[in-house]
Amino acid sequence: SEFDVHHSYAAGLEVANHMTLKLRIGTSMQGSVTGVFTYRVNAEGKLVSLRGFWELEAMAQTMQPLS
């Protein structure tokens, strides 16, 4: 998979990224999804929350066989 971060918004121990993920599913399909992905860490810097928001139908429309 590849990640293209369009913009990142940091606030304290949290960040929201507007990004596009290029996906490969198994050995037969590929596609991409654009969305907002949020991360939160604790005071020690350990990841405590990871969330993603995207439109499943938009991602499904990009899926195609690997060439």
Side-chain angles (χ1 to χ4, degrees):
S1 296
E2 295 178 32
F3 306 93
D4 184 13
V5 178
H6 306 293
H7 200 83
S8 188
Y9 305 89
L13 298 176
E14 297 182 84
V15 64
N17 294 307
H18 175 229
M19 54 197 302
T20 299
L21 308 176
K22 294 178 183 174
L23 310 167
R24 178 177 285 181
I25 300 174
T27 59
S28 62
M29 298 294 288
Q30 65 184 359
S32 65
V33 61
T34 299
V36 175
F37 301 85
T38 63
Y39 308 85
R40 183 168 43 97
V41 297
N42 62 18
E44 292 78 38
K46 294 186 178 184
L47 184 66
V48 295
S49 177
L50 168 63
R51 297 176 70 190
F53 304 88
W54 68 89
E55 296 176 343
L56 183 59
E57 186 172 319
M59 180 188 70
Q61 291 175 1
T62 71
M63 298 307 293
Q64 59 187 354
L66 281 169
S67 46

